[in-house]
Amino acid sequence: MSTDILKAIQDGEIFCHSNKTHVNEIPWHEHPTFAGVALKHLITSTNTDGKFSSHLVRVQSGYEIGEHIHAGKWELHEVIAGHGKCIMNNEEVEYYEGVAAVVPSDIPHIVKALEEDLYILAKFVPALI
């Protein structure tokens, strides 16, 4: 697994409305429902008038984000490190560094990490939070 992209993002900065935030200063939040899953909320609705949000998602090896939907929200997954899969519409998409997948609104989906932790930049339109 290459961690160059992950390291660059974690060491990076977010610029929004003349404010700069260091990504490594943004706390991880454990997912309230799915064990082994944590998120860093990089850009939230308060920064974008609710238009979109961006989150760094970590799914630990052997864990999953169980079946769920994001009502009325489109989602873009950009895999930046690790290995896993996404299941939606009875189709499996292999997740590895460099893969991007669009999850249409209201589509149930599952994300699983396989033999290593999976890191995804998840972007939502409109904003998730």
Side-chain angles (χ1 to χ4, degrees):
M1 167 183 78
S2 169
T3 59
D4 293 342
I5 297 171
L6 176 59
K7 181 170 177 15
I9 289 170
Q10 290 183 333
D11 292 343
E13 298 171 326
I14 305 288
F15 293 88
C16 189
H17 306 295
S18 301
N19 294 319
K20 177 172 70 171
T21 304
H22 296 275
V23 173
N24 61 11
E25 295 174 357
I26 299 171
W28 285 102
H29 298 277
E30 297 300 319
H31 196 285
T33 307
F34 302 111
V37 178
L39 300 97
K40 278 190 183 227
H41 305 302
L42 305 177
I43 300 169
T44 65
S45 63
T46 58
N47 305 114
T48 67
D49 295 327
K51 303 286 191 258
F52 73 94
S53 63
S54 179
H55 314 269
L56 181 58
V57 181
R58 178 185 66 216
V59 183
Q60 292 177 336
S61 174
Y63 287 87
E64 70 177 44
I65 303 171
E67 187 172 84
H68 65 289
I69 64 166
H70 300 288
K73 298 174 189 326
W74 283 75
E75 184 176 5
L76 173 64
H77 292 170
E78 295 174 290
V79 181
I80 58 171
H83 186 240
K85 61 184 172 180
C86 180
I87 303 162
M88 65 179 147
N89 289 331
N90 297 317
E91 186 177 335
E92 266 187 32
V93 178
E94 187 176 0
Y95 273 16
Y96 52 89
E97 186 177 312
V99 168
V102 174
V103 181
S105 64
D106 305 310
I107 297 295
H109 56 286
I110 299 166
V111 177
K112 296 182 179 189
L114 298 177
E115 63 275 351
E116 55 192 350
D117 292 355
L118 180 64
Y119 288 84
I120 299 168
L121 276 177
K123 298 171 183 171
F124 292 85
V125 176
L128 179 64
I129 63 167

